[in-house]
């Protein structure tokens, strides 16, 4: 079963920017309540979109360089990358359906 990839400053380029499929990146932190609300949705999306979309999580406390490069100011922030660039973004806890629509648009 698919599960989110744990991102770091070191593997971000390889896993996200160089990916040949769209990537959903969940910028989160362990102390963030809304992040914990979104986490099960991100897990489900990783399974449901396995093979079509890469799903990953980046802890902003341990990967501050990457979080800073993308101007992450509030979490959770979910960025959808396509062809190595940010194609869409969602800030805050949102319903699963909202994320599914964004992913389908990135795949379309």
């Amino acid at each position: 079963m698919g599960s989110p990839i744990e991102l770091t400053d070191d593997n971000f380029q390889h896993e996200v920017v160089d990916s040949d499929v769209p990537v959903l990146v969940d910028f989160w932190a362990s102390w963030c309540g809304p992040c914990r609300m979104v986490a099960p949705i991100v897990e489900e999306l990783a399974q449901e979109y396995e093979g079509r979309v890469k799903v990953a999580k980046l802890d902003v406390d341990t990967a501050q360089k990457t979080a800073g490069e993308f101007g992450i100011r509030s979490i959770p922030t979910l960025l959808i990358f396509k062809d190595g660039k940010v194609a869409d973004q969602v800030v805050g806890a949102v319903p699963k359906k909202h994320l599914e629509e964004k992913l389908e648009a990135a795949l379309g």
Side-chain angles (χ1 to χ4, degrees), residues 18-95:
D18 297 341
S19 177
D20 54 358
V21 296
V23 186
L24 171 68
V25 179
D26 176 15
F27 289 83
W28 72 287
S30 59
W31 47 263
C32 165
C35 296
R36 289 195 299 273
M37 290 169 46
V38 169
I41 295 171
V42 172
E43 296 274 342
E44 289 173 24
L45 293 172
Q47 293 175 11
E48 292 168 19
Y49 284 86
E50 186 174 14
R52 298 190 304 146
V53 174
K54 208 184 269 192
V55 177
K57 295 175 71 73
L58 184 135
D59 185 331
V60 297
D61 289 334
T62 59
Q64 294 179 358
K65 177 179 164 276
T66 302
E69 285 174 10
F70 289 96
I72 304 302
R73 299 268 180 265
S74 59
I75 53 175
T77 292
L78 295 103
L79 298 182
I80 297 174
F81 289 81
K82 188 170 181 180
D83 301 323
K85 296 179 176 47
V86 177
D88 211 338
Q89 88 170 30
V90 176
V91 178
V94 296

